[in-house]
């Protein structure tokens, strides 16, 4: 087999067949290349949930993960926070001519391994090859299909004053890890991306009967933008206590140097939860018992309904309103 | 609104929100940008079918369609030939910084219109923006979800000597239309791409009870590669009569000049059918009554089972074996 991807790998002929057979079919356990094209699935009764995401992260490999792991985490988490159990993934690859086959194999295996650990099946895929300069290495789209959980209680209209706002761990790790991996900013750090599928952690919360009213993964735009969306889209006043928000020292340091606000940095393995006040202690207990949620923290509360806004209480006791991320901070972060 | 896509349109913040709200949500009829991210769907009981495809066609606009129309046709047809009724689509857009917003709007509307005409709903989407040079304009991934038809009779192991091989129209239109649209080959022609969703045409065949044993859409790799795959994957001997294969004069002419074989050129609005001999007349009648199938033709037959191969009978009466497309002919054709 050639050592680089060529345009002929994308033309639907002999080489394309071999590429799919040798790299994709073997990784995902589909029977044949023909079966990689489309799949029939039994999902049982009930509503299905669907989400789609394209991944264009640069660089493709970074501390804590790679684009393959990210493509599983991002889509699995989208389904999970929507209140669904992820079951199936499709994976579409757009590959640049000249891309090393060994890197492709590594990424495909990483995607397959991560999917297996998350308990989701990669059921269909597609590869396209574009000429050199037509893309930047590799992009992946994953579409996730899950089954809607029955009676989750997730309903943003149920948010009320007193509800707890919980972040499942430290903010901004993914954003700074990617920046550091680019090597453009003279930033040297041991920090890893938090990139991880969270469906099993979220399962525990439901199994324990925690009253979750709203859940989101704070990816692009970070914790602040995600909470502004929740506040504005569903008319909730939310107040964060800045000093409570867990942020690693490496992230704090990098943000100080670079002039970024960690609340606007992307996370790829975190969830924001709005839970009934009575359940906040138990929610934190459940989260702390999971590897992904060991640093979960109560970071704020819902203070009322009506005209939705997000307010940050600073360590000095003053309050300021936060808005959505505005203007480019970090392209190609996921 | 700005007139070009900027990196800030992709960062998950304020501009990204506006872009999705103003261009995508309005075109697809989702309620809000938040609802564009993921969707809950009722599919009824039974197995669902899933397929995914990325579209990287160059140029984005071509006679007979654009990348938006193609992204619907390709995925709808994949589901249809697998024996499913397409119901839902997701759409993931990877957009190059600087891409004109007016072109984006045109493409998104084209995708929305085509989906509506095909009777499928665009239920979730995603946009990413990459910096100038990071991609070539715009790529789209669509993932299709359908419901498996009950008792279709599609089962390649049922193929037997005597079965008819039907092509639903002329071969190679899409390939030559794209080449001509590139303007690189000095080719001037009125030829249009055949790009079209075929689910409604295929519906008619099932409604009429035609015994379809196998169905495929001959896209990348063309009629020849698709039939070689059917022959080799399922152990069928298939014989084509070259003189019967309908090919437009413009396609013949272009192939003569360019040295291409129309049997290896991509089609985006054609289906290859293997039907029981007893039903071939009726299948052609049904197809001829549809706009997409008006030029459907019997192009060959299954001659036996066992070691699968595809054989072409030339106008001179000699026979030669055809193989999969080998080596690059046309990158970025879909």
């Amino acid at each position: 087999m050639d050592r680089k991807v060529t345009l002929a790998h994308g033309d639907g002929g002999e080489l394309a067949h071999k590429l799919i057979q040798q790299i994709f079919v073997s990784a995902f356990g589909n029977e044949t290349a023909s079966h990689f094209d489309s799949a029939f699935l039994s999902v049982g009764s009930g509503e299905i949930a669907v989400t789609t995401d394209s991944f264009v992260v640069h660089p493709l490999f970074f501390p804590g993960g790679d684009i393959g792991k990210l493509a599983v985490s991002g889509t699995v988490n989208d389904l999970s926070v929507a209140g669904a159990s992820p079951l199936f993934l499709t994976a579409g690859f757009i590959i640049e001519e000249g891309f090393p086959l060994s890197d492709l194999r590594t990424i495909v295996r990483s995607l397959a391994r991560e999917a297996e650990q998350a308990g989701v099946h990669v059921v269909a895929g597609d590869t396209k090859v574009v000429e050199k300069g037509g893309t930047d290495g590799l992009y992946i789209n994953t579409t996730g299909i899950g089954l809607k959980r029955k009676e989750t209680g997730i309903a943003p209209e149920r948010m009320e004053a007193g509800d707890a706002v919980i972040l499942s761990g430290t903010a901004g790790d993914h954003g700074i890890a990617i920046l550091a991996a680019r090597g453009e900013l003279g930033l040297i750090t041991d920090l890893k991306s938090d990139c991880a599928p969270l469906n099993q952690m979220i399962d525990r919360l439901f199994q324990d009967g925690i009253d979750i009213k709203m859940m989101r993964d704070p990816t692009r735009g970070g914790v602040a933008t995600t909470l502004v969306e929740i506040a504005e889209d569903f008319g909730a006043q939310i107040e964060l206590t800045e000093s409570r928000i867990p942020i690693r020292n490496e992230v704090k340091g990098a943000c100080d140097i670079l002039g970024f606000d960690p609340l606007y940095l992307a996370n790829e393995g975190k969830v924001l939860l709005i839970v009934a006040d009575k359940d906040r202690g138990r929610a934190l207990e459940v989260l702390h018992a999971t590897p992904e949620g060991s640093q979960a923290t109560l970071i704020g509360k819902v203070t009322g309904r009506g005209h939705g806004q997000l307010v940050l209480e600073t360590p000095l006791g003053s309050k300021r309103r936060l808005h959505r991320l505005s203007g480019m901070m970090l392209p190609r972060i996921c």
Side-chain angles (χ1 to χ4, degrees), chain A:
Chain A
M1 198 166 189
D2 304 338
R3 293 165 65 189
K4 286 182 185 292
V5 174
T6 65
L7 287 174
H9 281 112
D11 67 6
E14 187 64 33
L15 271 176
H17 181 79
K18 275 191 188 154
L19 178 78
I20 292 173
Q21 196 70 42
Q22 292 177 8
I23 293 195
F24 293 88
V25 170
S26 63
F28 298 132
N30 316 69
E31 271 173 72
T32 66
S34 318
H35 284 101
F36 192 56
D37 198 43
S38 63
F40 287 114
L41 312 168
S42 291
V43 288
S45 63
E47 276 184 291
I48 63 168
V50 179
T51 188
T52 192
D53 235 326
S54 300
F55 297 87
V56 298
V57 68
H58 173 78
L60 298 172
F61 297 93
F62 47 82
D66 57 41
I67 190 172
K69 182 179 182 186
L70 186 63
V72 173
S73 306
T75 296
V76 160
N77 294 346
D78 273 355
L79 287 175
S80 300
V81 298
S85 302
L87 297 174
F88 305 109
L89 284 183
T90 63
F93 290 74
I94 300 176
I95 311 165
E96 186 181 27
E97 176 190 15
F99 193 78
L101 277 169
S102 56
D103 284 354
L104 181 62
R105 186 176 283 112
T106 303
I107 288 166
V108 169
R109 283 186 184 158
S110 164
L111 194 156
R113 185 175 54 243
E114 210 57 36
E116 195 187 343
Q117 285 175 7
V120 297
H121 297 280
V122 180
V123 292
D126 173 60
T127 57
K128 290 290 183 314
V129 180
V130 296
E131 61 275 44
K132 230 178 167 55
T135 192
D136 186 11
L138 176 73
Y139 301 146
I140 302 178
N141 172 284
T142 50
T143 299
I145 299 172
L147 198 57
K148 187 179 180 178
R149 291 172 187 275
K150 291 187 172 94
E151 294 155 32
T152 58
I154 293 179
E157 62 275 14
R158 289 181 56 237
M159 290 190 291
E160 60 188 349
D163 286 348
V165 179
I166 292 172
L167 177 62
S168 68
T170 51
D173 299 9
H174 180 74
I176 295 297
I178 294 294
L179 274 189
R182 284 184 195 161
E184 289 166 8
L185 301 160
L187 205 64
I188 298 168
T189 166
D190 291 334
L191 187 72
K192 286 184 179 166
S193 162
D194 55 347
C195 155
L198 300 175
N199 54 324
Q200 287 156 352
M201 179 184 84
I202 292 170
D203 263 354
R204 299 277 161 79
L205 292 165
F206 283 113
Q207 282 162 13
D208 216 70
I210 304 296
D211 183 5
I212 302 169
K213 300 184 177 181
M214 186 71 201
M215 220 180 345
R216 279 284 171 82
D217 51 337
T219 55
R220 281 186 290 182
V223 168
T225 303
T226 305
L227 280 174
V228 170
E229 283 173 7
I230 294 176
E232 294 187 357
D233 288 359
F234 304 107
Q237 288 146 34
I238 299 177
E239 203 171 301
L240 295 185
T241 306
E242 190 170 5
S243 60
R244 285 178 174 274
I245 300 166
I247 299 167
R248 289 184 200 282
N249 285 332
E250 301 96 306
V251 172
K252 266 190 199 140
C255 282
D256 285 348
I257 295 167
L258 302 170
F260 289 136
D261 181 340
L263 290 184
Y264 288 92
L265 288 175
N267 310 276
E268 291 291 344
K270 297 291 152 48
V271 62
L272 274 165
L273 297 149
I274 312 241
V275 305
D277 185 46
K278 67 172 176 56
D279 282 355
R280 75 175 176 198
R282 216 148 43 84
L284 287 168
E285 268 174 42
V286 172
L287 288 168
H288 289 159
T290 66
E292 303 87 358
S294 60
Q295 294 184 270
T297 309
L298 176 75
I299 62 167
K301 61 186 176 193
V302 176
T303 56
R305 296 301 304 250
H307 184 68
Q309 57 176 31
L310 177 67
V311 169
L312 184 76
E313 187 189 29
T314 68
L316 300 173
S318 67
K319 293 182 182 182
R320 64 183 171 98
R321 185 170 173 189
L322 297 183
H323 297 273
R324 289 163 206 260
L325 175 63
S326 174
M328 184 262 294
M329 283 182 76
L330 300 170
R332 312 262 313 262
I333 208 75
C334 61

